[in-house]
Amino acid sequence: MLVLSSGIVSAETQTLDDPENDVIRIQGTPPSGTLTEHISDQPNVDIIQVSCVIEGSKLTLKLEVASDGTIIQTDSAYYYYAVANTSDHSIYYIMIAYGEGAIAMGAGPGGTPSVPGVQISENSMQAQFDLLADSTIVNVAGYTSYKVSDSDVYQDFAPDRNNNQTSGNNNNNNNTNNNNNQPAAKTPGFEAIAVIAAIGVAFILLKRRK
Ligand SMILES: [Ca+2]
Ligand SMILES: [Ca+2]
């Protein structure tokens, strides 16, 4: 007997919760700069959740900031980024940068998905992509920043291990293991920054083509 499985709709959700009031502020430049943790008065860049849902042939990615925060699209001092990686080595992301509004894009071995619209509510941004291939969610991540000036920047990472500038000893995770010698704790931070930089360039190119 032939069993047809193509009609089965699969659903998968991955939700990453991030602590509230964990924005960090970096002033000056190392080694003379200062780092302040647990900032509570920057709800606009305080991530509380990044989530991804795959349902059938669609992938929905969402980033949410604190309930008393607002996603700022038109002020170039604000930057928002949410990303999902899938098992087929594709990347899907939403970005708000340069005061140019929100954009959602992706790329992978299967090509690039069509560019979906981004829905912005008061404190969240989300987009629904056409999946490039049958795949599962590997991970999700988010990054936000508010740049007062080049030497005064508020930012939040989700998960927090993507932030390689905090001590790791003084956060809310209460890890009993405070071993800072684990290279894995630092590497993703650099990778995240590199990805953000590369995507920033892509974003500029895209805008110029318009
Ligand atoms: Ca947060
Ligand atoms: Ca965080």
Side-chain angles (χ1 to χ4, degrees), residues 21-70:
N21 301 329
D22 69 330
V23 172
I24 63 171
R25 182 182 192 182
I26 297 170
Q27 294 167 280
T29 48
S32 59
T34 60
L35 170 72
T36 311
E37 295 181 80
H38 311 305
I39 303 279
S40 60
D41 64 351
Q42 293 293 331
N44 296 343
V45 289
D46 190 351
I47 300 167
I48 59 167
Q49 191 178 85
V50 184
S51 64
C52 183
V53 178
I54 288 179
E55 200 165 10
S57 62
K58 301 286 187 183
L59 179 150
T60 303
L61 176 65
K62 181 178 183 181
L63 179 145
E64 201 173 330
V65 297
S67 59
D68 56 339
T70 303

Side-chain angles (χ1 to χ4, degrees), residues 148-194:
V148 180
S149 70
D150 284 341
S151 58
D152 189 359
V153 181
Y154 294 90
Q155 52 192 336
D156 192 7
F157 295 76
D160 284 316
R161 68 171 180 271
N162 279 355
N163 172 20
N164 57 21
Q165 296 178 83
T166 54
S167 63
N169 293 332
N170 194 29
N171 57 29
N172 289 327
N173 292 334
N174 290 326
N175 289 333
T176 51
N177 179 5
N178 284 333
N179 182 359
N180 285 329
N181 295 324
Q182 297 171 353
K186 283 195 168 183
T187 310
F190 291 111
E191 287 173 354
I193 298 300

